[in-house]
Amino acid sequence: MADAQCWHVFHICPRFFRHFTSCLSGMSNVATSELQHRQMPSKPVAATGVSMVDEATTFFDWASNQGVSFWEVVARNFTAHGRFGPVPITNNVKLLQQEERLDLLLSPTQFGLLSGLVLFLFLRHKIARWKEEHSHLKIASKDDLRRTVYTFLTFLEFLVISPLLLTILLTFQMYRIVIQTILQHRHGKHFKGLLDGADVVWAIEDQNSRGMINIMANVEEPFTDWTSVDGSISAVILLTLRKRISSRLMRNYQPYPKMFWKRNVALGYYFWSDQSELTVEDYIRYMDTIPLADGQRFIEENQLRSLLSKINNRHLPAEHTSSWEVLVGKQPLFDEERRVLKYPILFRVHHSLGDGVALMRLLLEAIVDKEVPSRWKHLSKLKVMNINYILKQQKAANHHRLAVGETLLQRMWKSLPSVKDLTAQRDKFARILWTIYTAPAFFHDVSRRQADNNCIHASEMANEKVVSWIQEDHNSGTHWVEIIKRTKQLIPGTRFSDVFLTALSSSLDTYFASRTSKPPKNLTVVLPARIEKETPHLRLHNRFSVALQTLPITPGIQMNDANRHYALTKRIIAVKSYSDVLRSSSDYLINYWIMSKMTCLFPEAILRKILKSAHSTLAISNLPGPQQLPRIQGKELKNLSFFIPNLGTTAVGITLLTYGGKLQLGILADRAVIRTEDEAHSILKGTVEEIGRMGQLLEEA
């Protein structure tokens, strides 16, 4: 990094470089002259086979012949006095012992010049780092002023047409209320309400791309011999899941009734009803069987990828009106190195049931083993409720009983908001005002944004998907999560996702190079983000938003490049700059307001046109998973990964999940843009290889 910065100084200041080299040359000539004038005659040196042409005439000639650099001599001048010769010179004499002083090589003027140069480079480096860390304090540039004026003018335009927009929204709001009244009268007590705004976004789906989240995990069993492999473990898992779902979720008291509602559409609006006749056997079934060759006792991973590619976009039970199902594999994968069998389990959940965080919590709280305190075991309803929520409610009740004896004045004083609460409310109100002010400019930017043009950007999707994954095994010696965390610490303010996107960028560059002669310079990615914090008690809802970010496509780390550290830093900063712009904008809040408040107002036909977007190429979802591995019937759920659905013309979805401290990657793509599972797998493989090269650079630093 320092070498690159020094070269940058000489590159932009050629006049300074020429002056510097001439000074060094002059310094060497002066040093040589002083040495020659201070010599005392000595006896001729015996012939050594070296001609007079090869004898040193200047200090630099001697240093070149002896393999000693000027900087080494300067360092020795201050650290270790002593002989460094004898030095052959043209007069064939040697220095006397008392005259061997290297400090004669530099005069005070020359030493001051050298010290000034070092100080200049040091201060320049520190100033550059300070500017980078305090970039938010810089004076507004012309682009910033132009953006400010643009935002103000678009807001004025919004004020002019706001009466018309409010009239349209109020009209559709009244129309929605009328439809809700009609449906409630038609279905009676079975009507459970219209879908919320964010739920409707995923209910608007195409036959070629349905809105399901697929979550895959493995249950391992030690392998002894093939005679003992009879599929009993898969039967145990199937029966265990059915029993737990029935006892925890399908009793008279249902903690999450939304799981068992039907998703219907009538009069242009989606609504929930509880007229489902499905049983637990309909929800939890065996996975499809893969045909095996003669003598084959287990399935290969590529066979499982092909099967999941077919299952991924398949209808859910009850003609796709239900919201989830669980498929248990009867045929295991075989890990020959560790001598274990892996039985796959696939959880398929419709995105209208909830977002990724809610669905992951549902999986971990409702299906896996629980450690129940003995003093609570007599409560049967504990199996279907969140323990933390119960304890919190009981604590609140105890606090209420203690507060009964308080005076009215004390209760009024405690009911007043604190300074912290007032500050939070003020910040929230200011954020809402700023979002409203910048929303018109956001809509203008989206309308003017050009669609991506590359080989994995789809105009229309097929009804076939490809699925692949790379799972960092918990028994492996790799540390991908740790490498990403250490790499992001190299640049202040860098996020985990910035480093991952940098690694993905290099993998996409390699993939594009294999498909086309001219890879794109950048592409647009969709980045989901959760807006609201998760409550102690699980609620099945969608509380997420999305935003568009530009991802530069650049080659990866070249290990034979002398400036590879600087090149990696430059690439991360390029990704981080786009991420900083997105995080400082109101895009997430504006999209969240649209998805949660506006989308539910419009009928299906209008909503399809509103939600249709052709800008982005791929979607990337990052979920932090549990650090401890959950268990089913005492067996750990390993290699947990998930796959997000395609939406609109975004035909590629990449997911990363940190699970038990290990990184789990998944990809789901439409065959219209990525033809085979191997092609999809190559994108993930290139990403983890780039992460591995980042780890090598960390070891070199």
Side-chain angles (χ1 to χ4, degrees):
M1 184 70 180
D3 295 340
Q5 289 182 342
C6 292
W7 171 248
H8 180 66
V9 172
F10 296 145
H11 180 67
I12 63 175
C13 303
R15 183 177 301 175
F16 172 78
F17 180 62
R18 289 195 298 270
H19 177 69
F20 174 67
T21 53
S22 64
C23 289
L24 291 182
S25 178
M27 290 160 55
S28 66
N29 293 333
V30 171
T32 305
S33 300
E34 291 182 0
L35 285 172
Q36 292 176 352
H37 282 85
R38 299 172 70 90
Q39 304 304 318
M40 294 184 65
S42 62
K43 295 181 180 181
V45 181
T48 60
V50 180
S51 65
M52 294 296 293
V53 179
D54 296 332
E55 293 180 352
T57 58
T58 66
F59 172 79
F60 281 126
D61 292 337
W62 173 85
S64 176
N65 294 335
Q66 299 297 323
V68 179
S69 68
F70 174 77
W71 307 106
E72 180 181 346
V73 175
V74 172
R76 290 179 56 189
N77 187 32
F78 299 101
T79 57
H81 295 281
R83 297 178 61 86
F84 66 95
V87 181
I89 57 177
T90 56
N91 295 330
N92 291 330
V93 296
K94 295 182 180 178
L95 288 172
L96 292 178
Q97 183 68 27
Q98 63 270 21
E99 297 294 337
E100 294 178 355
R101 295 176 53 194
L102 296 182
D103 56 338
L104 298 177
L105 295 175
L106 293 176
S107 67
T109 303
Q110 295 164 349
F111 178 72
L113 176 63
L114 180 62
S115 302
L117 172 64
V118 175
L119 182 61
F120 166 75
L121 294 176
F122 175 77
L123 292 178
R124 183 182 180 277
H125 170 71
K126 288 298 182 182
I127 292 174
R129 290 296 300 269
W130 185 89
K131 287 182 177 180
E132 179 182 325
E133 296 176 4
H134 300 82
S135 58
H136 60 283
L137 300 178
K138 64 181 180 180
I139 301 175
S141 62
K142 292 183 179 180
D143 292 337
D144 296 331
L145 294 176
R146 190 180 297 110
R147 180 68 185 181
T148 302
V149 174
Y150 171 75
T151 303
F152 178 71
L153 293 178
T154 54
F155 180 71
L156 292 180
E157 180 186 15
F158 167 74
L159 291 180
V160 173
I161 64 174
S162 58
L164 176 61
L165 296 178
L166 290 176
T167 302
I168 294 174
L169 293 178
L170 289 175
T171 301
F172 278 106
Q173 175 67 27
M174 297 299 297
Y175 180 70
R176 185 175 187 270
I177 294 175
V178 172
I179 297 299
Q180 182 176 0
T181 304
I182 295 174
L183 293 176
Q184 188 171 10
H185 177 74
R186 179 182 298 178
H187 296 277
K189 64 178 182 179
H190 297 293
F191 178 76
K192 298 301 178 181
L194 300 177
L195 268 67
D196 294 334
D199 296 344
V200 174
V201 172
W202 293 106
I204 303 293
E205 57 186 3
D206 297 324
Q207 294 298 318
N208 294 339
S209 184
R210 298 181 179 90
M212 276 94 67
I213 295 178
N214 292 266
I215 306 172
M216 187 188 70
N218 293 325
V219 173
E220 295 184 354
E221 181 186 28
F223 173 77
T224 54
D225 56 77
W226 290 112
T227 58
S228 61
V229 179
D230 55 0
S232 59
I233 182 64
S234 59
V236 171
I237 295 173
L238 181 74
L239 294 177
T240 300
L241 293 179
R242 286 178 175 177
K243 181 179 179 180
R244 289 183 177 177
I245 293 296
S246 298
S247 61
R248 296 179 180 179
L249 304 178
M250 298 181 70
R251 302 180 65 178
N252 293 332
Y253 173 76
Q254 294 183 352
Y256 315 116
K258 187 179 178 181
M259 286 183 61
F260 307 100
W261 291 347
K262 291 178 61 178
R263 187 178 58 260
N264 307 277
V265 59
L267 303 178
Y269 285 86
Y270 285 89
F271 66 97
W272 298 107
S273 69
D274 64 352
Q275 293 175 303
S276 176
E277 301 295 334
L278 297 177
T279 63
V280 69
E281 288 77 14
D282 298 318
Y283 286 111
I284 304 176
R285 312 186 309 276
Y286 278 120
M287 192 180 294
D288 299 0
T289 302
I290 299 175
L292 300 179
D294 294 339
Q296 185 179 358
R297 298 176 179 270
F298 56 90
I299 60 175
E300 301 288 348
E301 187 171 291
N302 59 346
Q303 292 177 305
L304 182 60
R305 288 203 298 261
S306 299
L307 176 61
L308 295 189
S309 298
K310 297 177 182 178
I311 295 176
N312 185 273
N313 204 42
R314 183 188 296 174
H315 278 159
L316 288 169
E319 298 180 354
H320 202 58
T321 60
S322 64
S323 297
W324 64 278
E325 68 176 356
V326 180
L327 302 177
V328 179
K330 293 189 294 184
Q331 299 167 298
L333 298 163
F334 180 52
D335 189 338
E336 188 172 359
E337 181 179 352
R338 297 177 49 229
R339 306 293 292 176
V340 294
L341 298 174
K342 300 180 180 180
Y343 289 88
I345 305 176
L346 184 65
F347 304 89
R348 305 185 66 227
V349 188
H350 200 278
H351 214 320
S352 62
L353 185 63
D355 55 31
V357 175
L359 297 179
M360 194 66 68
R361 283 191 62 183
L362 175 65
L363 168 65
L364 299 178
E365 294 185 13
I367 297 178
V368 301
D369 298 347
K370 288 185 178 180
E371 294 294 334
V372 182
S374 58
R375 63 191 181 93
W376 292 100
K377 286 185 177 179
H378 67 281
L379 296 176
S380 60
K381 67 177 182 179
L382 180 64
K383 296 182 179 180
V384 295
M385 296 187 68
N386 184 287
I387 297 177
N388 295 330
Y389 179 74
I390 295 176
L391 296 176
K392 183 177 179 180
Q393 295 298 317
Q394 188 180 49
K395 182 178 179 180
N398 294 336
H399 178 74
H400 176 71
R401 286 194 295 268
L402 293 175
V404 172
E406 295 179 350
T407 63
L408 177 62
L409 183 61
Q410 290 175 330
R411 290 197 297 270
M412 291 179 60
W413 174 258
K414 289 185 177 181
S415 64
L416 294 176
S418 63
V419 177
K420 183 178 180 180
D421 295 335
L422 292 176
T423 303
Q425 291 297 327
R426 182 202 62 189
D427 295 341
K428 182 179 180 180
F429 183 70
R431 188 166 60 250
I432 293 174
L433 291 180
W434 179 252
T435 302
I436 295 174
Y437 176 71
T438 57
F442 166 79
F443 292 126
H444 275 272
D445 292 338
V446 172
S447 63
R448 294 187 298 113
R449 191 181 188 112
Q450 294 183 351
D452 286 354
N453 183 17
N454 54 70
C455 60
I456 62 173
H457 184 269
S459 56
E460 290 186 5
M461 294 195 195
N463 192 16
E464 297 180 357
K465 307 296 177 181
V466 294
V467 171
S468 187
W469 58 85
I470 288 183
Q471 298 161 334
E472 186 180 13
D473 196 88
H474 292 83
N475 299 292
S476 66
T478 57
H479 304 281
W480 297 338
V481 175
E482 186 65 24
I483 290 174
I484 295 177
K485 289 181 178 180
R486 290 175 58 192
T487 303
K488 79 182 185 69
Q489 294 174 356
L490 299 177
I491 304 174
T494 304
R495 302 171 183 83
F496 188 94
S497 59
D498 295 336
V499 180
F500 177 80
L501 288 175
T502 303
L504 176 63
S505 168
S506 68
S507 178
L508 291 174
D509 179 77
T510 304
Y511 178 78
F512 284 132
S514 66
R515 290 280 304 271
T516 179
S517 59
K518 188 177 180 181
K521 294 182 179 180
N522 53 63
L523 52 81
T524 304
V525 298
V526 180
L527 296 179
R530 191 173 177 86
I531 299 299
E532 297 183 4
K533 294 182 179 180
E534 189 67 13
T535 58
H537 183 57
L538 173 61
R539 296 181 59 190
L540 294 178
H541 53 195
N542 282 283
R543 291 295 181 264
F544 74 99
S545 181
V546 296
L548 301 179
Q549 178 177 322
T550 300
L551 176 63
I553 303 300
T554 54
I557 300 171
Q558 304 297 324
M559 297 305 297
N560 57 355
D561 184 7
N563 295 325
R564 53 187 177 273
H565 293 269
Y566 174 72
L568 175 61
T569 303
K570 184 178 179 181
R571 290 170 51 214
I572 296 177
I573 291 176
V575 175
K576 178 179 178 296
S577 62
Y578 287 106
S579 178
D580 290 342
V581 171
L582 174 61
R583 302 288 176 170
S584 62
S585 68
S586 302
D587 292 8
Y588 277 112
L589 290 177
I590 295 172
N591 280 325
Y592 179 69
W593 181 77
I594 294 173
M595 295 170 63
S596 61
K597 305 300 181 183
M598 288 186 58
T599 54
C600 60
L601 300 180
F602 301 100
E604 178 188 12
I606 298 177
L607 198 56
R608 285 186 181 275
K609 297 183 179 297
I610 295 176
L611 296 178
K612 187 175 182 180
S613 174
H615 301 102
S616 57
T617 295
L618 58 89
I620 301 176
S621 180
N622 176 17
L623 277 184
Q627 295 304 306
Q628 295 182 348
L629 304 185
R631 297 172 180 267
I632 294 182
Q633 203 65 19
K635 299 183 181 297
E636 291 182 339
L637 274 178
K638 293 191 174 182
N639 304 125
L640 186 68
S641 55
F642 70 105
F643 311 94
I644 56 176
N646 304 139
L647 184 64
T649 58
T650 306
V652 182
I654 296 177
T655 60
L656 61 152
L657 174 73
T658 51
Y659 181 60
K662 297 293 184 178
L663 193 64
Q664 317 290 319
L665 301 180
I667 182 172
L668 183 145
D670 195 90
R671 287 192 187 272
V673 295
I674 297 181
R675 297 180 292 267
T676 64
E677 289 82 7
D678 291 338
E679 285 188 18
H681 189 77
S682 67
I683 296 177
L684 300 183
K685 184 178 179 181
T687 303
V688 298
E689 288 176 350
E690 182 71 3
I691 295 175
R693 287 189 287 269
M694 291 180 181
Q696 295 181 33
L697 294 189
L698 291 173
E699 296 298 328
E700 295 176 359

